[in-house]
Amino acid sequence: MQPRSDVIGSLLRPPALIDARQKHEQGDLTAAEFKCIEDRAVRDAIALQENAGLDVLTDGEMRRYAFFGHLVEALEGFDKFGGWSITFSDGEGHDAALQRPVVIDKLRWRRQMSVEEFTYLRGRTKKPVKVTLVSAQQAAAYYDPDKSRGAYATRDSYLADLVDFTRREIAELNRLGCQYIQIDAPQYAALLDETIRDGYRQRGSDPDKMLDACIELDNAIIEGHPGITFGIHICRGNHKSMFYASGGYDRIAEKVFSRARFDRFLLEYDDERSGTFEPLRHVPEDRTVVLGLVSSKTSRLETRDQLRARIDEAAKVMPLERLALSPQCGFASTHEGNRLTADDQRKKLELVAQTAKEIWA
């Protein structure tokens, strides 16, 4: 699979869906009623992407409260909001805390993570579709030595179960005909940021050894599933148009690009926090890089000339035929969404599709 215009995953939740989720959680809306509203939101997300002209579609993650929601809600064993919080900022003095889940009991199946998302999406479009799952390295952040030890004595024992459950999910998706799966790994970006790396060291963890373990775990998740194109998305956090990490890919490029077995690397490259394209020289010749040049965080609309200039710059490092284009991240990694309108989102998706068609026609 070689789509030139890609989309990362989440789209802005319509107000009716946000309101329905709240009513459902309060017990004022039945599961069946809520499901109908979810279905409508997914159909609208499909129409939006088809009309924009994108080469590949997702369901907008409309059935999730956050990009990792499929994991937390499909598997028993998590406290949804009981984990440590992470602070996001925008560089303009604003910040917001996001409470993470935490594993407190042995993981057990409640339902499939993303099979419903895939089958509903596939049945309502003729375009190629994509499913998103989280990396083992992202899920590692949901282990707390104090709160989780009663269920799993070590983080490694928890991650062993996590890898097994994710592989089982992918096997079922494969059986149903899924051909493109994206693994979301924003925690990799924590290993780009010197401040965060220092924090890991102070807590007794070696950031470079953590990176080695992350790559090994994510390779274990994706190996042995023939017929599926696997992508990995690496960004620096996305919550209410805010981020939590900064830094170029230089620190992790050689290991991640050369050792991770993903077919597509979907990389955030929308501003100076992302660094240069130079690290792309480490990407093997049989892989594709999807340049996330269009910001999903701001309403400012990029121009085709700006995008073409950036793509030309990247093409000096790796061949144009191994590049593609996307937004830098989802528009709503959490259900609250980023600070832009549905019309802003539409224009940005159209820009991605139109620019890709012009360049790779």
Side-chain angles (χ1 to χ4, degrees):
M1 175 177 287
Q2 189 67 292
R4 298 298 185 179
S5 58
D6 211 326
V7 62
I8 298 303
S10 63
L11 298 171
L12 294 172
R13 311 296 198 271
L17 178 60
I18 295 175
D19 181 62
R21 177 175 286 276
Q22 183 176 8
K23 288 181 177 178
H24 177 55
E25 290 175 348
Q26 293 171 344
D28 297 327
L29 200 66
T30 67
E33 291 170 332
F34 180 53
K35 186 65 64 178
C36 288
I37 296 171
E38 274 188 338
D39 290 348
R40 188 181 310 125
V42 172
R43 293 195 299 271
D44 289 344
I46 293 169
L48 170 65
Q49 295 169 91
E50 286 183 334
N51 292 336
L54 292 166
D55 291 339
V56 63
L57 280 58
T58 73
D59 76 337
E61 297 180 0
M62 295 294 163
R63 304 187 193 279
R64 307 182 187 185
Y65 75 94
F67 76 95
F68 49 79
H70 63 291
L71 178 72
V72 175
E73 295 186 331
L75 299 180
E76 295 181 4
F78 289 104
D79 180 341
K80 193 171 180 179
F81 301 109
W84 55 283
S85 67
I86 183 169
T87 300
F88 290 74
S89 62
D90 60 7
E92 299 176 358
H94 306 106
D95 57 49
L98 176 65
Q99 203 75 23
R100 284 174 159 173
V102 61
V103 61
I104 58 171
D105 203 352
K106 286 284 187 181
L107 299 181
R108 297 180 302 279
W109 279 114
R110 179 182 290 125
R111 59 171 174 80
Q112 297 287 153
M113 299 180 199
S114 56
V115 165
E116 178 191 10
E117 295 175 349
F118 169 67
T119 54
Y120 191 88
L121 172 62
R122 181 191 58 183
R124 283 154 184 83
T125 183
K126 295 180 179 179
K127 302 283 293 253
V129 302
K130 174 168 71 175
V131 168
T132 59
L133 300 170
V134 297
S135 69
Q137 165 267 359
Q138 175 66 28
Y142 310 150
Y143 182 91
D144 181 290
D146 296 324
K147 297 181 179 180
S148 306
R149 189 175 291 120
Y152 292 98
T154 65
R155 180 181 278 106
D156 287 347
S157 60
Y158 153 65
L159 289 176
D161 272 2
L162 189 283
V163 168
D164 181 57
F165 280 117
T166 307
R167 284 186 56 79
R168 287 165 58 187
E169 182 75 8
I170 293 173
E172 179 64 7
L173 289 167
N174 196 1
R175 188 185 70 81
L176 293 169
C178 181
Q179 295 180 319
Y180 187 8
I181 294 176
Q182 174 183 299
I183 303 296
D184 288 319
Q187 279 294 112
Y188 275 87
L191 304 176
L192 302 173
D193 192 298
E194 190 56 42
T195 301
I196 298 177
R197 288 170 66 91
D198 282 343
Y200 280 129
R201 293 189 191 100
Q202 292 170 13
R203 293 191 293 271
S205 296
D206 181 329
D208 294 316
K209 290 182 179 179
M210 290 175 62
L211 180 60
D212 292 336
C214 292
I215 295 170
E216 183 179 346
L217 286 168
D218 285 334
N219 280 343
I221 283 175
I222 68 173
E223 69 179 357
H225 303 288
I228 297 179
T229 294
F230 283 100
I232 183 169
H233 171 57
I234 303 175
C235 73
R236 293 154 183 81
N238 184 33
H239 174 57
K240 298 181 179 179
S241 289
M242 302 183 191
F243 57 87
Y244 72 80
S246 297
Y249 293 102
D250 309 74
R251 286 188 182 277
I252 68 172
E254 188 168 2
K255 286 185 177 181
V256 171
F257 295 152
S258 63
R259 289 171 47 191
R261 302 193 186 107
F262 291 89
D263 306 292
R264 291 167 72 83
F265 295 98
L266 299 100
L267 305 178
E268 180 180 57
Y269 263 120
D270 64 322
D271 61 23
E272 62 279 357
R273 286 185 304 108
S274 305
T276 71
F277 294 125
E278 181 60 23
L280 301 185
R281 63 188 173 86
H282 295 290
V283 178
E285 293 182 357
D286 59 344
R287 315 295 172 82
T288 299
V289 168
V290 183
L291 300 172
L293 299 176
V294 175
S295 176
S296 65
K297 287 181 164 68
T298 70
S299 60
R300 176 185 58 81
L301 185 63
E302 297 81 355
T303 69
R304 293 191 205 179
D305 287 345
Q306 288 172 336
L307 298 183
R308 291 180 72 99
R310 292 282 280 156
I311 293 168
D312 287 343
E313 185 182 348
K316 295 176 182 178
V317 182
M318 62 183 298
L320 183 65
E321 61 267 21
R322 290 169 47 211
L323 296 173
L325 180 63
S326 75
Q328 129 272 343
C329 195
F331 289 87
S333 297
T334 57
H335 74 273
E336 297 95 335
N338 286 342
R339 298 194 296 251
L340 69 173
T341 68
D343 195 50
D344 295 330
Q345 175 181 251
R346 175 186 59 79
K347 290 176 181 177
K348 286 175 177 279
L349 294 176
E350 290 173 348
L351 178 64
V352 167
Q354 292 164 3
T355 304
K357 282 183 173 64
E358 290 177 3
I359 292 177
W360 289 284

